Amino acid sequence: MGSQSLHMLAVDFGASSGRAVTGAFNGRTLTVNEVHRFSNEPVRLGNHFHWDFLRLFHELRQGIHASRRMAGGAPVSVAVDTWGVDYGLVDAKGRLAGNPYHYRDLRTEQVMPEVFSAIPENELFRMTGIRSSSINTIYQLYAEEKVRSGYGAGGLKMLMMPDLFHYYLSGVMANEYTIASTSGLLDPRSRSWHSGILNTLSIPESLFSEIVMPGTMLGQLRQDIREELQVPDMAVIAAAGHDTAAAVASVPAGAAPYAFISSGTWSLMGIELDQPALSGYSRDSLFSNEGGAGGKIRLLKNIMGLWLLQECRRTWALEGTPLTYDELTELALSAPENGSYIDAADAVFLPPGGMPQRIHEYCRDSGQKVPESRAAIVRCIVESLALQYRQTLDEIEKLAGERMEHIHIVGGGIQNRLLCQLTANVTGRPVIAGPVEATAIGNLMMQALAHGEVKNLAEIRQVVLESFPPETYLPEEAAMWEERYQQYVKLFKRQETV
């Protein structure tokens, strides 16, 4: 590793908020500091749902402006990461061809059957390794009539959200690997656009730019932006454009086999592989093969996560009882164990509103004792999440053909200490929790890689380990939790296809 002091800026866009975080790397450790935070509120215009890209680009520039006050000097580089699947279209003159659609826009509602009539769903998984969902880029692009009408051949370009920000910062067009992998249009073996899919669906190949790997220098911040914001030269880097890929890059793991959980509103649980897992069992177990730092494959599953707890908290606040997350944890610790569970993967829990009542009804309808008190509901949620992590771990180990020795949890969910401990108890594996600012840290360290200050993913993870020491939770009461897990499996038995 190098020793020169390096100052960088990560801008992390989430689906409801964003933030700019500066990082200072001294060759051994990284320190981070949030300098700007903002909301990300989508806009309904007519019958469609859009991201407000112009506002978000303004906030990005505000983050760059705020970063110039960083102790030790302005950042030498900036990189953006965002949620997956969404994109913007840019015309031949570099103009934004409309605000990007939100992944919840309903224009894809009737598209999936049309795509499957051309490419059967099972075959599509074998070609891309991505679980089918109406929000995926493949279905969004298929719904774009101007794309399939041939307008794309006239100079239109598709840039995934972080690529779109990078283009308007630097003037350089590129499609970064980790974010492109969420599209359902990438060949996971060659790490390139799948020409067979594009040709079959009449999506012009000219729509796409070169795939670049995470940690690629794209160019310099445009002169007009530098002058307006009064900042010096600044490199624009394609770090790890997908926020989950950035978070996984910051997992402080060693050589032993491990599973990761990127924990927040949703929990992304999986492992890193050198090659994609494209079996029928992988497909039927609802895993996706997404791109990772170092050219890795992130074989992962999207699990409901703390959404359940957040929605209960929101409902109780509306009823006049606002509770902090620490108070919710204390409630759960005080609750008598009633052994009632929910299958957090059930679609009934996806919509917002009325979550406590839905949990009541779910337990009653499945023949279990109904958790009546708030404490019992919170306990039910947290235990059910830990049990689902165990079920997913069993599936991961079957796919990998080996035992995972540890579970690394990163992200805001590690602040729920009860969930961390229960995950260790139920899985029977040590849980290593941290860092909490995983996405920003991964973004910053991939910039350090682009600058040559670290050589590879292993060095990045060693820096994270030294900079943000994790907390370890050891399994307790293994026999009791094994018995409860078997009860859970009987309640929510899934059909498997090997």
Side-chain angles (χ1 to χ4, degrees), residues 125-159:
F125 181 84
R126 285 193 291 271
M127 297 168 83
T128 67
I130 297 296
R131 173 189 174 190
S132 292
S133 170
S134 63
I135 70 174
N136 291 355
T137 317
I138 181 174
Y139 309 113
Q140 294 197 50
L141 275 176
Y142 191 83
E144 294 261 15
E145 291 184 11
K146 61 186 174 186
V147 168
R148 291 193 292 120
S149 68
Y151 180 36
L156 204 64
K157 291 290 185 180
M158 188 280 289
L159 294 171

Side-chain angles (χ1 to χ4, degrees), residues 26 44 114 119 148 196 231 259 294 299 331 346 379 392 438 481:
N26 64 11
R44 185 170 296 282
E114 291 185 41
I119 308 174
R148 291 193 292 120
V231 294
L299 180 69
L331 278 177
D346 197 301
R379 185 84 190 191
T392 304
W481 283 108

Side-chain angles (χ1 to χ4, degrees), residues 171-216:
V172 177
M173 284 191 182
N175 294 129
E176 189 271 330
Y177 167 60
T178 68
I179 196 71
S181 73
T182 70
S183 68
L185 291 165
L186 210 67
D187 184 331
R189 305 168 193 83
S190 65
R191 276 71 164 173
S192 60
W193 298 112
H194 202 299
S195 58
I197 294 174
L198 299 177
N199 292 335
T200 300
L201 299 181
S202 299
I203 299 174
E205 291 190 56
S206 61
L207 198 64
F208 304 91
S209 301
E210 175 192 2
I211 296 286
V212 299
M213 298 308 289
T216 297

Side-chain angles (χ1 to χ4, degrees), residues 416-495:
N416 190 314
R417 298 173 59 85
L418 175 60
L419 180 57
C420 293
Q421 184 61 61
L422 285 173
T423 301
N425 295 351
V426 175
T427 62
R429 314 298 158 83
V431 164
I432 303 170
V436 67
E437 302 288 356
T439 301
I441 291 167
N443 179 319
L444 291 164
M445 288 310 302
M446 290 304 297
Q447 291 184 60
L449 178 75
H451 286 289
E453 291 294 309
V454 289
K455 297 176 183 176
N456 50 41
L457 204 51
E459 285 195 0
I460 285 174
R461 288 171 168 162
Q462 184 60 35
V463 169
V464 176
L465 182 63
E466 293 187 27
S467 305
F468 311 96
E471 184 171 1
T472 300
Y473 297 81
L474 298 177
E476 299 172 355
E477 303 176 299
M480 180 190 77
W481 283 108
E482 179 63 29
E483 181 180 345
R484 291 191 178 188
Y485 175 63
Q486 296 305 325
Q487 294 170 358
Y488 174 86
V489 170
K490 289 177 183 177
L491 269 173
F492 310 116
K493 182 69 175 174
R494 291 183 187 153
Q495 297 297 317

Side-chain angles (χ1 to χ4, degrees), residues 60-83:
L60 167 57
R61 296 198 303 182
Q62 292 300 106
I64 293 172
H65 182 68
S67 73
R68 71 190 181 128
R69 298 190 298 271
M70 180 178 182
V76 297
S77 61
V78 58
V80 173
D81 64 77
T82 77
W83 65 95

Side-chain angles (χ1 to χ4, degrees), residues 149-398:
S149 68
Y151 180 36
L156 204 64
K157 291 290 185 180
M158 188 280 289
L159 294 171
M160 305 291 282
M161 291 303 292
D163 305 325
L164 191 65
F165 286 114
H166 289 150
Y167 169 64
Y168 284 112
L169 286 177
S170 68
V172 177
M173 284 191 182
N175 294 129
E176 189 271 330
Y177 167 60
T178 68
I179 196 71
S181 73
T182 70
S183 68
L185 291 165
L186 210 67
D187 184 331
R189 305 168 193 83
S190 65
R191 276 71 164 173
S192 60
W193 298 112
H194 202 299
S195 58
I197 294 174
L198 299 177
N199 292 335
T200 300
L201 299 181
S202 299
I203 299 174
E205 291 190 56
S206 61
L207 198 64
F208 304 91
S209 301
E210 175 192 2
I211 296 286
V212 299
M213 298 308 289
T216 297
M217 289 273 191
L218 294 176
Q220 295 293 313
L221 191 65
R222 290 164 49 109
Q223 182 177 348
D224 59 307
I225 296 177
R226 293 202 310 270
E227 291 175 354
E228 178 187 353
L229 302 181
Q230 299 179 345
V231 294
D233 285 350
M234 190 177 296
V236 179
I237 296 175
H242 189 209
D243 50 12
T244 307
V248 172
S250 76
V251 170
Y258 69 93
F260 64 78
I261 302 174
S262 179
S263 179
T265 300
W266 303 96
S267 293
L268 290 303
M269 185 172 184
I271 54 174
E272 288 179 300
L273 300 173
D274 292 324
Q275 295 299 327
L278 304 174
S279 67
Y281 180 70
S282 177
R283 179 194 68 237
D284 294 341
S285 298
L286 307 180
F287 282 88
S288 279
N289 295 264
E290 296 180 353
K296 294 284 188 179
I297 296 290
R298 292 175 291 120
L299 180 69
L300 53 78
K301 178 184 288 191
N302 194 348
I303 299 170
M304 197 77 69
L306 294 175
W307 163 257
L308 299 155
L309 199 58
Q310 291 164 355
E311 279 298 293
C312 285
R313 178 174 178 258
R314 189 169 69 87
T315 296
W316 293 329
L318 290 171
E319 294 172 351
T321 308
L323 295 164
T324 67
Y325 287 110
D326 286 343
E327 288 171 335
L328 289 175
T329 300
E330 288 302 315
L331 278 177
L333 287 169
S334 68
E337 298 175 358
N338 60 8
S340 295
Y341 307 120
I342 58 172
D343 181 359
D346 197 301
V348 72
F349 300 116
L350 278 172
M355 190 65 73
Q357 183 61 33
R358 272 182 276 161
I359 291 171
H360 286 164
E361 293 170 356
Y362 196 90
C363 290
R364 184 180 62 248
D365 293 347
S366 56
Q368 302 179 80
K369 181 180 177 181
V370 175
E372 297 288 355
S373 68
R374 293 188 178 101
I377 291 172
V378 175
R379 185 84 190 191
C380 171
I381 290 171
V382 177
E383 289 188 4
S384 296
L385 286 175
L387 289 160
Q388 191 171 62
Y389 294 160
R390 164 66 190 276
Q391 188 171 37
T392 304
L393 180 66
D394 287 353
E395 295 166 344
I396 285 170
E397 291 182 335
K398 186 171 182 177

